[in-house]
Amino acid sequence: MSSSLRPPAQRPCESCPYRRDVPAGIWAREEYAKLRRYDAETPDQPTGLFQCHQVDADSAVRRVCAGWAGCHPGEELLALRLAVLEGRIDAPTYQAVVEYVSPVPLFRSGSDAAAHGEVGIDAPTEEARRLINKISRTRNDLVR
């Protein structure tokens, strides 16, 4: 079985909302809200895999978000279980997510990451604006 969704990158990208060193406010409020939903008990979690924000939606090469993989215990992620059962990812990708350990500090939960990120939405710092511009150049599916 082949999978178009690749395992997490070696390290979360520089704009990953799960990274503790990422400036607040670089993602929309709706994007931060998604992070909290994966903190729920397994049956109450979203069924969609959390994918890296650095690749636009039309790209043929997508990957599981490294920050998401590092923040949440993989065995408890409903989306990960369903993806392997439904053939959306292969067994090696599943195992890579379950075993993933981030080389950079991450927030302890999606709720913590979201709370941090939401603080800067209305007044992003210069560093946050730099990352917003970089993401905008990378993603052709974003609407301003």
Side-chain angles (χ1 to χ4, degrees):
M1 156 178 34
S2 69
S3 169
S4 62
L5 192 61
R6 295 173 50 199
Q10 289 184 349
R11 65 187 306 113
C13 62
E14 72 173 333
S15 62
C16 181
Y18 285 100
R19 283 180 67 142
R20 295 185 65 84
D21 62 350
V22 167
I26 64 170
W27 297 105
R29 199 169 303 283
E30 299 80 35
E31 294 301 310
Y32 288 118
K34 292 176 186 178
L35 306 181
R36 288 186 174 94
R37 297 174 55 214
Y38 291 99
D39 291 345
E41 294 297 317
T42 304
D44 299 323
Q45 293 174 8
T47 57
L49 290 166
F50 199 82
Q51 298 177 31
C52 179
H53 282 89
Q54 283 294 328
V55 181
D56 73 50
D58 297 329
S59 175
V61 180
R62 305 273 315 171
R63 65 171 61 244
V64 173
C65 171
W68 180 75
C71 180
H72 301 285
E75 308 86 11
E76 297 177 20
L77 289 168
L78 178 62
L80 191 62
R81 293 178 185 183
L82 292 175
V84 76
L85 289 172
E86 295 170 354
R88 291 183 283 134
I89 62 170
D90 56 23
T93 298
Y94 172 87
Q95 200 61 40
V97 173
V98 168
E99 295 174 356
Y100 184 81
V101 176
S102 175
V104 298
L106 303 175
F107 286 100
R108 293 184 341 172
S109 69
S111 293
D112 288 350
H116 165 75
E118 289 168 340
V119 168
I121 289 175
D122 295 327
T125 64
E126 186 174 326
E127 176 63 9
R129 287 192 301 275
R130 182 188 70 76
L131 286 172
I132 291 166
N133 289 335
K134 181 177 180 181
I135 294 162
S136 296
R137 288 189 306 271
T138 304
R139 299 272 305 264
N140 67 12
D141 61 321
L142 297 176
V143 179
R144 286 191 157 200

